Every structure is written in structure tokens, then in C-alpha cells.
Amino acid sequence: QVYKGLDIITNKVSPQEQRLCRHHMISFVDPLVSNYTVVDFRDKAVPLISYIFARDKIPIVVGGTNYYIESLLWKVLINTKEKPSSAPRPGSDRKVELEQLDSAELHRRLSQVDPEMAAKLHPHDKRKVARSLQVFEETGIPHSEILHQQQGEEGGGPLGGPLKYPHSCILWLHADQAALDARLEKRVDDMVAAGLLEELRDFHRRYNQEKVAQNRQDYQHGIFQSIGFKEFHEYLVSEGKCSPETSALLLEKGIQALKQVTKRYARRQNKWVRNRFLKRPGPNVPPVYGLEVSDLQRWEEDVLKPALEIVESFIQGREPPVEPLRMEQDEENKRSHRVCELCDRIIIGDREWAAHTRSKSHLHHLKKRRKLEGSGGTVGDSGDTETSDEDSSLPLP
């Protein structure tokens, strides 16, 4: 939502609603900027939060992208620019350049300068590998070492350094999955009714048509990675060049794809909250209060009234009338590193390893190995290696 344009597809708050409450950080970055990062977001948002506090107001950070919210809550980011830019310009940065390299080459370079971080990251995760390599190139310090320093600071913990705003709380609006899916599908239909197609055509004509013609389109960076735009690529590039029937089919394909990817993203958002905020409790994690939004007819009773009571309690320095959500700590090691030489695959995480060892492909290779051994053939062992001390046969929780 920081980018100008695509107001419908990015579900921006309407001008009418913005007049009810002062909004910030909306529609101020040029769409052609590809190197706007979470660091740029933080560097602009933190002074705004200080400005709001100075006027005796309470800043409300609205999600969205939980990774960006984390950048405001904790000391978790690393500055690699000498002077942070408040107005990024179109162009690329070192991370984007690194992402152009082959995955294996990227991971090999990181292994040479930061083996600990390389062991935690899958070789195919080019974004994270490139970022860690960029951190080392521009600071001279391994990314893993900087993270250890942050977590080791007073008030630090597994999620990063100290909590920047100790008296913050998180209000998590969640809904029954079936109700949420139906609501998201309706939202897409409402987008179409509100002029989605006209917005897509206009944006494509102004910013992407020439890139497509020159085979330079990039759906991995900037606003072009927004959910919704790339799903209509086939429709936009073929409109006027195919039959009305084909165009209608491509349009419907784009609409259905948008519905599916939106629902998947909502699931990832909920998973992020559970894994990052609820399963890793500690002194530097704000309390999380759940607000049930499945039945919109009960908005006043289930959402507005308890939210106001919770916030009022925080303002007055007393305990809220409801308990924050709590979940048992997850003992799973999400960063364990194993190699299955039977399948020639690298597996990151205990859960993923357990799932792999039960997969059809792994069991097929295992059966072949045992058959060879039984017939007197020779074959090497499975070659399973790991960087953690945990049992490689850990069952799925």
C-alpha cells in the first residue's frame, strides 16, 4: 500500500475512511521503485510514531505484512546503507543484483563467508540468501553474528533485539476459516464491481506494457509483486489480440487465481501470528489478544467493545479484563539442516524432514535401496546429515 496506484487491488482504505482518522504511509512511493525495503519502511515509520506520541495520540499499526510490523516492534533489521533514503528512486540495489545469480552459486558464496547462516537457509531461497550475502558485503560482519548480537542485548530474545515500545499490545482479528474464505471471495467480486479491470488496464498501459514488450517484466519486486496484478498477466497482454471468448476465459482464470492466492496469503498471515507471536513467548513479545470476527453481525460485541476495553486498560496501566492468547511453546527446530542423499534433496526444518521421510518419493527410493541390498548389490547409506543434534526420525507433531 506504500506504492502509488492499484488502489483497488491493494485494498487501500478509502478517502472517506481516511477522513475519519489520520492515515500515514499510503501511496507515497513511485511504482517503478524496485528497491524499497522494510528498512526504508521502518526509517520513515519510526519518526512518524514518535510524532504521534508527541501529540499525546496513540499510533495504531495496521497489518498486512507482519514482517513489516515486526520491524517496528523489535530491533531486528540491519542497516547496510550509509544514509537511509526517505525517497527511494527507480533502480536496483546490491540485493537485486545478487538475486540474478544462480541459486547454487549464491549459496556457495554465503557458505564461504557465513556458514552458520548458510546452514539455516535453503539454497533455493534466493531472497534470503542474497540478503545475508548483502549484509556481509556491506558491513563486513556475518549476518548470523549480527543477529546473535541483537538477540543477546538486554531485553532481547528469539525474535530479535529489545522491544522498542514496551507497552504495546497486539489485537489479532481472526475468523473461522470457512467464513474467512467466503468473505475473501466476496471481496474479489466487490473489487471487480468497483472497477478492478479498468485499474489493471491503466496500470499495465502506464507501467508494464513496455516492460513486457522488451521481456523485462519483473513480478518479484516492488508493486509488481502485489497479489492480483501478476494473476491477470495473460489477460492483460492478450486483450485485443484474441477472440472475445478467449479473453473472457482468461479474465475468469485471473479472477479465480486472485481468489485462491488471496486465501493462501490469509492462511500464511495467520500462521505467522501463531508461529512468531504465540509459539515463542518471552519477555520481549507483546501480549496478543484474539478478537473473533466470523460473524460481522456481532462486530460491536465481539470486536469493538472488547478492543476498546483492552486499549483503555493499557492506557490506564491496569490489567485488561481478558487474558491474552497463549499457546504451548513449539519445540520444533525450524532451522535444522539435513541432506537426503537417497533423494538428492536438502531439507530445512524438523517438520519438513518428517514429512519428507514419509513421502512417496522417499519411500520409493528407500524400497529400491533395500531391494538392492537384499539381492546382494551395494549401495551407500542414506547419507542423512544434519546440523542439529535432534533425532532425524522426529515424528510430525
Side-chain angles (χ1 to χ4, degrees):
Q1 295 192 356
V2 300
Y3 293 95
K4 299 173 185 175
L6 294 181
D7 292 358
I8 298 174
I9 204 74
T10 56
N11 201 37
K12 288 175 182 166
V13 62
S14 69
Q16 293 80 6
E17 290 177 295
Q18 289 193 43
R19 284 195 287 269
L20 298 175
C21 177
R22 178 80 181 276
H23 285 67
H24 302 270
M25 307 285 287
I26 296 177
S27 298
F28 67 95
V29 179
D30 188 295
L32 294 180
V33 168
S34 63
N35 62 343
Y36 185 84
T37 69
V38 66
V39 175
D40 297 310
F41 173 84
R42 179 206 61 188
D43 289 345
K44 186 174 178 64
V46 168
L48 278 171
I49 291 174
S50 298
Y51 168 69
I52 294 170
F53 276 133
R55 294 187 295 120
D56 291 328
K57 302 291 184 181
I58 298 177
I60 302 173
V61 181
V62 183
T65 308
N66 294 314
Y67 179 53
Y68 278 60
I69 295 176
E70 285 193 15
S71 76
L72 302 180
L73 287 173
W74 292 282
K75 182 181 178 181
V76 291
L77 300 179
I78 300 163
N79 286 325
T80 57
K81 303 175 183 177
E82 290 185 10
K83 188 175 182 180
S85 171
S86 59
R89 294 190 297 264
S92 61
D93 59 12
R94 180 56 178 157
K95 179 171 173 288
V96 175
E97 293 173 1
L98 288 169
E99 287 178 18
Q100 306 308 310
L101 298 176
D102 176 73
S103 296
E105 171 63 17
L106 260 184
H107 198 263
R108 184 189 67 79
R109 291 189 187 186
L110 183 62
S111 298
Q112 291 177 339
V113 298
D114 192 351
E116 180 181 344
M117 186 59 71
K120 293 179 179 179
L121 300 177
H122 197 286
H124 294 161
D125 195 344
K126 292 182 73 171
R127 282 195 173 195
K128 291 183 179 179
V129 173
R131 173 57 179 163
S132 289
L133 197 55
Q134 178 197 19
V135 168
F136 176 78
E137 288 185 358
E138 298 183 4
T139 67
I141 305 173
H143 193 179
S144 58
E145 183 178 328
I146 296 176
L147 294 178
H148 285 315
Q149 291 173 358
Q150 289 181 344
Q151 294 167 0
E153 292 181 24
E154 185 178 355
L159 287 176
L163 193 62
K164 293 180 186 175
Y165 308 103
H167 301 296
S168 56
C169 70
I170 296 172
L171 302 178
W172 180 29
L173 279 65
H174 58 88
D176 173 77
Q177 195 62 58
L180 179 59
D181 287 346
R183 194 174 301 161
L184 292 174
E185 292 210 5
K186 182 180 183 302
R187 190 174 83 177
V188 173
D189 292 334
D190 291 342
M191 287 177 176
V192 175
L196 173 64
L197 300 185
E198 290 75 12
E199 177 180 88
L200 289 171
R201 290 190 192 103
D202 179 63
F203 193 85
H204 177 67
R205 176 181 56 78
R206 289 193 292 156
Y207 298 107
N208 204 45
Q209 194 169 44
E210 185 178 342
K211 288 176 175 286
V212 172
Q214 298 175 0
N215 197 29
R216 294 188 299 110
Q217 74 272 19
D218 179 9
Y219 293 126
Q220 302 301 318
H221 298 94
I223 195 172
F224 298 99
Q225 66 183 315
S226 299
I227 288 177
F229 186 66
K230 55 185 176 294
E231 281 70 29
F232 289 91
H233 174 81
E234 286 186 86
Y235 170 74
L236 293 170
V237 300
S238 64
E239 193 175 23
K241 302 176 184 177
C242 60
S243 68
E245 294 77 15
T246 300
S247 186
L249 287 173
L250 291 175
L251 172 59
E252 182 59 27
K253 179 182 176 182
I255 292 173
Q256 294 305 317
L258 176 55
K259 290 181 177 180
Q260 291 302 318
V261 74
T262 301
K263 289 186 285 188
R264 283 200 298 270
Y265 184 65
R267 283 172 168 79
R268 289 202 301 272
Q269 287 177 311
N270 286 331
K271 184 179 180 182
W272 183 291
V273 172
R274 293 188 184 97
N275 289 340
R276 304 286 289 184
F277 296 153
L278 295 179
K279 288 187 178 180
R280 299 184 182 182
N284 69 334
V285 180
V288 180
Y289 296 91
L291 299 171
E292 174 65 47
V293 294
S294 297
D295 185 358
L296 294 182
Q297 300 298 319
R298 291 184 52 83
W299 176 266
E300 296 278 340
E301 307 97 303
D302 295 345
V303 184
L304 182 59
K305 185 173 182 290
L308 291 174
E309 290 175 345
I310 292 168
V311 174
E312 188 69 26
S313 298
F314 268 79
I315 293 173
Q316 296 176 357
R318 56 182 173 83
E319 287 294 318
V322 294
E323 287 289 316
L325 297 175
R326 288 186 174 86
M327 293 180 69
E328 293 184 8
Q329 290 196 32
D330 195 346
E331 299 300 327
E332 172 195 358
N333 184 353
K334 294 181 174 62
R335 293 300 191 184
S336 62
H337 182 282
R338 298 182 177 93
V339 179
C340 178
E341 294 193 2
L342 270 179
C343 306
D344 191 24
R345 286 190 59 188
I346 295 173
I347 311 295
I348 305 293
D350 290 344
R351 185 186 297 269
E352 287 72 15
W353 175 252
H356 172 72
T357 57
R358 297 176 182 178
S359 67
K360 288 183 179 180
S361 61
H362 179 81
L363 294 175
H364 172 71
H365 285 101
L366 190 61
K367 185 177 180 181
K368 284 179 62 178
R369 187 188 72 174
R370 289 171 176 168
K371 188 175 181 181
L372 278 172
E373 291 174 341
S375 62
T378 59
V379 62
D381 62 25
S382 62
D384 301 333
T385 61
E386 55 186 290
T387 57
S388 71
D389 294 323
E390 300 189 32
D391 182 9
S392 63
S393 60
L394 182 72
L396 279 169

